[in-house]
Amino acid sequence: MIATKPDEMGDWRRTHYSLEIVSKMEGKKATVFGWVSSVREQGGIVFLIINDKKGTVQITVHKDKAPKLVLEKLKYLREHSSIGVRGMVKSMNKAPHGAEIVPEEIRVLSTALRQPPFSLFGGRIPSIDKRLDIRAIDMRRPKAQAIFKMRHAVLTAIREFLISRDYMEVSTPKIIATATEGGAALFPLLYYDKEAFLAQSPQLYKEQLIMPFEKVFEIGPIFRAEESRTVRHLSEVVSVDVEEAFVSYEDVMKLIEQLIRHLVQALYEKCKEEMKLLERRLTTPSSTFECITYDDALKILDKEGLTVNWGEDLSTQALKALGGVMPKFYFIKDWPTSIKPFYIKPRDDKQDICEAFDFMYGSIELASGGSRVSSKRLLMRRLKEQGLKPKLFEYHLRTFDYGMPPHAGFGLGLDRLMMVLTGQENIREVAMFPRDQFRLTP
Ligand code: ATP
Ligand code: MG
């Protein structure tokens, strides 16, 4: 039954997307392209449903009236084949969007050789691991489409928001010579005859870039060799990084508040249908997010029966408990200096506390940020305190000799943010081709 030789597309070009085939077009000609999602025969009439990136359109073939060649093509048609259809639009109440196409010619461009092991349009779906094996097909599922349309809308809105506030989009190297923050979570690679690393963050470069440009942002990949497999860590994610001169952490926290409100509004404007499909209802966040200090967090946890010693990082278990008490967006600020990176500025009045914050949604960390150290002397001291060698950072430290101003910024994990905005439990659902310790393909 499988056509061996596909039809040529020839000079056919799409005149309409599925959604544009509406009853107002009655009597007009249209050429549509897409994938067959169902073929059904009823009383001498064959109904084809075709999917394209915008939706579905019905193609109706009356077997007694259709051109011979169309009937011939029907024999070869299988679900998932990609086809082109040219014909006359007829209004039809029962069809999607109130119209159908009666075909004059069908071109079968590529016959599906196999059917996916699960139905894309309804029914039970297998685990994410099975689906990732044929991810490009899996992403044709309406819910996956909704997730990635929302991701696209969020990326667009982030750019709109930052550019309208005069931040410049920059690109920093992803192949780097030294670890940004020390730490072991780096991927080494062979760079000609030297060892290099994939960048775990654009931190040092974005700080340097505030010298020429003052307000910068980057949306780009970061790489982390995470040890454990969790539902909120991947080895490669997209980070939204912002850095700004002549401001402090309080200012960039305000910027995050405004950014999130802007994103939620943009989603309500552009992605109503997608949010409905995902059953995601976001309330526009209040104008100021709750903000607790690290000390407050310890007190809350103590009440929840969980003791964290001052100076310890908040474990996954601690964050879960905290998320139970604070389920929405909030900040945790004023962390112990010893557990934050060397470039975070200690408070002038109390050196063991630093001007750092984490931006949270329930138990999930979405962003980390802070005021940065702008004094070279202090930066060198902080590097040594954290067991790092200032010599390795010479290329960076050098910049600080030329009038490095106070500055602040943050790194926001786009994938984590998308988990929250689309209501997904597993970060793999919001990444097109997720990478983790056990997955390097597709
Ligand atoms: P966590 O403690 O949750 O592992 P982190 O504190 O190590 O995160 P940062 O270095 O602060 O992460 O990076 C800034 C942001 O980048 C995080 O708040 C998070 O949103 C995102 N991020 C970092 N590493 C990962 C990862 N492996 N997978 C997904 N997102 C990540
Ligand atoms: Mg962090």
Side-chain angles (χ1 to χ4, degrees), residues 181 200-201 222-226 230 232-239 241 313-314 319 340-341 343 358-359 364-369 410-417 427:
E181 310 179 11
Q200 73 186 137
S201 146
I222 57 171
F223 304 91
R224 311 258 172 127
E226 302 288 357
T230 79
R232 59 194 167 83
H233 289 92
L234 290 175
S235 321
E236 176 176 349
V237 289
V238 170
S239 173
D241 272 274
D313 206 350
L314 302 182
L319 290 178
K340 283 293 175 186
Y343 48 77
D358 276 5
F359 175 51
I364 214 180
E365 181 195 314
L366 298 177
S368 283
F410 62 85
L412 166 71
L414 179 71
D415 305 78
R416 294 252 179 109
L417 178 64
I427 194 167

Side-chain angles (χ1 to χ4, degrees), residues 14-32:
R14 168 184 277 141
T15 60
H16 298 82
Y17 278 107
S18 57
L19 284 190
E20 295 162 343
I21 305 299
V22 292
S23 59
K24 261 205 320 238
M25 277 195 63
E26 164 87 32
K28 294 222 172 78
K29 274 225 176 149
T31 303
V32 296

Side-chain angles (χ1 to χ4, degrees), residues 324-387:
V325 182
M326 321 219 354
K328 300 275 162 152
F329 293 112
Y330 63 99
F331 292 102
I332 310 173
K333 67 169 186 176
D334 298 350
W335 288 75
T337 307
S338 57
I339 52 171
K340 283 293 175 186
F342 68 88
Y343 48 77
I344 297 282
K345 182 173 179 283
R347 253 170 58 174
D348 291 330
D349 57 338
K350 237 173 161 245
Q351 297 277 310
D352 56 347
I353 293 177
C354 64
E355 297 190 5
F357 68 84
D358 276 5
F359 175 51
M360 310 288 298
Y361 186 86
S363 62
I364 214 180
E365 181 195 314
L366 298 177
S368 283
S371 308
R372 317 304 191 188
V373 174
S374 53
S375 136
K376 183 172 179 179
R377 265 218 344 249
L378 178 55
L379 199 56
M380 288 179 58
R381 199 184 83 210
R382 295 276 299 126
L383 274 166
K384 283 185 213 150
E385 278 169 7
Q386 301 221 346

